[in-house]
Structure formats: C-alpha cells, structure tokens
Amino acid sequence: MLSRHKKAYFYCTKKTFASSMQRMAIVIGFFLSLTLGSAEAEAQEDPYYEGKTLTLYVGRTPGSGADLAARVFAQFWSQYIPGEPTVIVRNLPGGGGTRVWNYGAEVAASDGFHVLFSPTNGAAAVLKEPGLRADFSTMPFVGGLLSPNMAYIRTDKVASPQELLTAQGLRFGGQNPALRFDLLGRLALDALGVEYQYVTGFPGGADVFNAIRRGEVDIQVASLGLYRFSIEPTLVEEGLAIPLWHNPSADTEGNVTALNVVPDIPSYMEFYRSVHGKDPSGEVYEMYKWILPRVNNIVYAALLPPGTPEEPTRILREAFVKVTEDPDYQAEEQRMYGFSLPLVGAEEGTEILRSLYDVPADVASFLKAYIDEVR
C-alpha cells in the first residue's frame, strides 16, 4: 500500500498533469482559432471575383428591351457579388435569339466569368428546332425574370368581354407562330372558341400595336410594359380598346397562379370563367397550360456555360436574388416597366429547363402540327 505522503504526491501529480493538459488545450485552441480566423480573413480578402470581369451576353441588339434589362441589372449585380467585379454587357444578336445560347454552350468558357443573360426560347427547345444547338438542361440556371404579358382588343369589334365569343371577322396580329405571344394568344383564343384570323409576320410588338391603331388587326398579346406605357394611354384610356386577360404563371405540374403585378387585368382562367361560367377544359386548354411555364415563366434568364463550377454558380445565384430585393433596383424597374418583374428562382428555373426535354409524344405532335399549320 502507498504511504500517506506517497498518496499525496500521486494526487498532486495527477492534478498537475490535468492542469497542464488543460493549459495545453487552451493554447492549441488559441492557435487553431488564429489559424482558422486568418484563413477566413484571407478568403474574405480574396473572393472569387476580386479584380475580375464578368461578361453578360445578350442575344438582342443594343437599345432593345432585353439589352436594357441586362444593362440595368448589371449595374446592381456587381454590388452584390463579393469582390465587386467589373460587369460588362456584350451583344450577340442573330439566329432569332438562338445565337447567344449556342455561343454559351459551345464557345464561352465555363469559369464563372461568362453569363448568358437573354430571353430564352422554350418553344424552340420543345420543338427541337435545328437552329438551337444549346441544351438548356445542361446549363446551370442562375436566376430569371418573368416579363408579364396580356391580351387586348379594339372596342369597335368587341365592346365587352362577353362579345368576344360571338364577334365576327376578328384579326389576331402576331410576329412568329413559335413566339410566346403568338402561341399563347392562339391557344387561348382557340380554347375559348373564338373565331379569328391569324395575321403574322410583324417585326416586333410595337409594329403590331401600330397596326392595331391603324385598324389593320384587332387583337394583340403584348408585354405588360408596352401595354402600360403605350397601349393603355393611347387606346384604352381613349376608349378605343379594352384589356382581356393576362397570361399567368404556372409550374410544371400544371398549377396556375395569377400575377399580383397585374391586379386590374384578370388572368386567362378568370376571364374564361367570366364568359363561359365554368373552368376551362379540353385538349387545347391543356396544351395552353402545359406550354405556359415553358415559354412564359422564364423570359429574361441568366444561365452559365455547361460545366461551370459550383462555387461561382452559388455566388451568382445568391447575388441575383439580392438584386431583385434591392429598393433602388426595384425603383428602376418601376421607371422602366411600371412594375417589378417577378423573380424565377434557381430551383424553379432548373426544373422548367429540364422539362423542355421531357416532352410527352402527344404534346410534341400537337404543338408541331399547331405551329406548322400557320407557318
């Protein structure tokens, strides 16, 4: 057995050892915190985009609506990207808007410093048109902006919504059978059972609007911005035209939601119920609902070249959302459009783009025949 003194010595030794271990742990923890803090500070001082240039490619001409949207967004985007890179806009028009997407898929470097920011062409992807070689489903989706649109009609042909169903000799003016304005307009009118003639080939929405003013056509599906700043003050407020409906938002499961940025114009579903007294149904309506999110939800989209790393993708996605929440950016939107463009988040946008390449055979057959018959 140990003597009293030896026991005491042993006890003291254990206390001393424990105390030493505690001090060592504190010292190690202190140096670890310094090391981690230094690493974190270094990472904050040298972010991914520090001193870099971010190029936004727009598939429209300088001065166009899409070009303006990209340039205004770029001014704010840099502020929310850590490192505040220089953001420049480069125009790549051509190919009906497909050139910029082909460039992003085939040429642009996948390093996070090249972003395709342009109107998408969901119909071209669904129809597998040969001019579009890019596969949207392989391109990381950063963020998107939904640009609302609506339908209106001259009052010398239709004075109230109910008269639309019995009106004769109506002419629907459009630009291209595969364009979202034309495609959604035709499907909506056909599902309602309206008799009309489709007049296509106008160079742009403003040209259709001027044709409406001249009485050459009677119905147009136009962007909400064009409606607020041009159509409403010159035609609607003068009693020469009335709004009909806005094309709402939808998801790939077929759930439809009216847009709160258009509170004074009913959604298409609400308009249908007001004139028919029941919910819309039938094959044409199902096609309208199927195509709605794929051509209408993502208008201005920011995508990255295939293979872009996760880190810059995450950084750009987070900054994209912050721009849409910025009060100064929202004020610019109000000045340009009269409302704020609804945000399409990364998850929703990715799902929509993937669905462009998962088209049921009956849908593909219907849409191809539907577009070809008026081409």
Side-chain angles (χ1 to χ4, degrees):
M1 295 182 59
L2 294 173
S3 67
R4 180 184 304 175
H5 296 292
K6 288 183 178 179
K7 287 182 179 178
Y9 173 78
F10 184 63
Y11 175 72
C12 291
T13 300
K14 288 196 295 183
K15 287 185 63 177
T16 303
F17 178 76
S19 178
S20 297
M21 291 301 292
Q22 290 176 349
R23 286 196 297 270
M24 185 179 295
I26 292 172
V27 171
I28 292 173
F30 175 72
F31 280 107
L32 279 175
S33 66
L34 286 178
T35 303
L36 292 174
S38 176
E40 183 178 352
E42 185 178 349
Q44 291 175 349
E45 292 172 1
D46 188 23
Y48 190 89
Y49 286 96
E50 180 73 44
K52 303 297 184 179
T53 296
L54 181 67
T55 303
L56 270 58
Y57 299 90
V58 183
R60 295 291 188 272
T61 56
S64 63
D67 176 69
L68 179 61
R71 292 180 186 276
V72 171
F73 199 93
Q75 294 175 12
F76 290 87
W77 208 358
S78 176
Q79 302 172 26
Y80 289 102
I81 300 173
E84 297 191 10
T86 300
V87 181
I88 62 173
V89 176
R90 180 182 172 189
N91 298 90
L92 289 177
T98 62
R99 180 188 174 199
V100 67
W101 301 117
N102 293 337
Y103 178 87
E106 300 171 343
V107 180
S110 54
D111 52 11
F113 302 116
H114 302 269
V115 181
L116 300 313
F117 195 117
S118 198
T120 56
N121 193 341
V126 169
L127 297 169
K128 295 181 173 59
E129 295 191 351
L132 179 65
R133 299 185 301 276
D135 183 339
F136 293 132
S137 67
T138 66
M139 305 174 74
F141 183 90
V142 175
L145 301 171
L146 191 159
S147 180
N149 57 83
M150 51 78 63
Y152 70 97
I153 191 168
R154 288 177 55 95
T155 51
D156 60 352
K157 289 295 184 72
V158 171
S160 67
Q162 287 71 25
E163 293 181 14
L164 180 64
L165 301 182
T166 57
Q168 300 294 315
L170 297 179
R171 294 157 298 178
F172 171 44
Q175 303 168 59
N176 183 307
L179 190 69
R180 66 189 180 106
F181 299 123
D182 299 37
L183 184 56
L184 291 175
R186 289 181 61 218
L187 288 169
L189 290 168
D190 289 341
L192 280 163
V194 177
E195 292 187 12
Y196 67 95
Q197 177 187 358
Y198 174 50
V199 181
T200 186
F202 290 98
D207 301 284
V208 182
F209 162 56
N210 288 326
I212 292 267
R213 297 178 70 179
R214 295 190 297 266
E216 296 173 4
V217 291
D218 311 302
I219 309 170
Q220 180 184 11
V221 173
S223 70
L224 186 59
L226 179 63
Y227 177 76
R228 291 297 189 212
F229 288 111
S230 299
I231 299 165
E232 193 170 43
T234 60
L235 294 179
V236 177
E237 292 179 2
E238 296 298 323
L240 302 176
I242 57 170
L244 296 173
W245 63 78
H246 76 262
N247 288 307
S249 174
D251 61 24
T252 56
E253 299 298 319
N255 301 306
V256 181
T257 306
L259 297 174
N260 56 19
V261 296
V262 204
D264 56 327
I265 303 173
S267 70
Y268 175 69
M269 288 67 180
E270 293 168 332
F271 180 87
Y272 189 103
R273 285 192 289 268
S274 72
V275 297
H276 278 294
K278 60 181 180 180
D279 290 334
S281 61
E283 181 186 27
V284 177
Y285 170 69
E286 290 300 322
M287 292 298 164
Y288 169 87
K289 192 167 60 169
W290 188 92
I291 203 71
L292 191 59
R294 293 161 176 88
V295 303
N296 196 57
N297 274 33
I298 305 174
V299 177
Y300 300 128
L303 274 63
L304 296 166
T308 300
E310 291 185 6
E311 182 185 3
T313 301
R314 175 189 58 79
I315 293 171
L316 293 175
R317 282 174 173 171
E318 292 175 356
F320 192 100
V321 174
K322 290 177 181 177
V323 171
T324 64
E325 297 170 345
D326 185 297
D328 292 333
Y329 172 72
Q330 292 175 352
E332 283 296 315
E333 286 185 304
Q334 290 292 330
R335 184 181 64 81
M336 291 191 300
Y337 312 116
F339 54 90
S340 291
L341 302 180
L343 168 70
V344 180
E347 184 177 352
E348 177 187 356
T350 299
E351 174 60 28
I352 291 174
L353 292 186
R354 286 175 179 169
S355 73
L356 298 177
Y357 303 92
D358 184 20
V359 184
D362 60 329
V363 172
S365 177
F366 176 94
L367 290 174
K368 184 179 186 306
Y370 193 72
I371 291 173
D372 285 348
E373 72 181 15
V374 292
R375 257 182 175 154

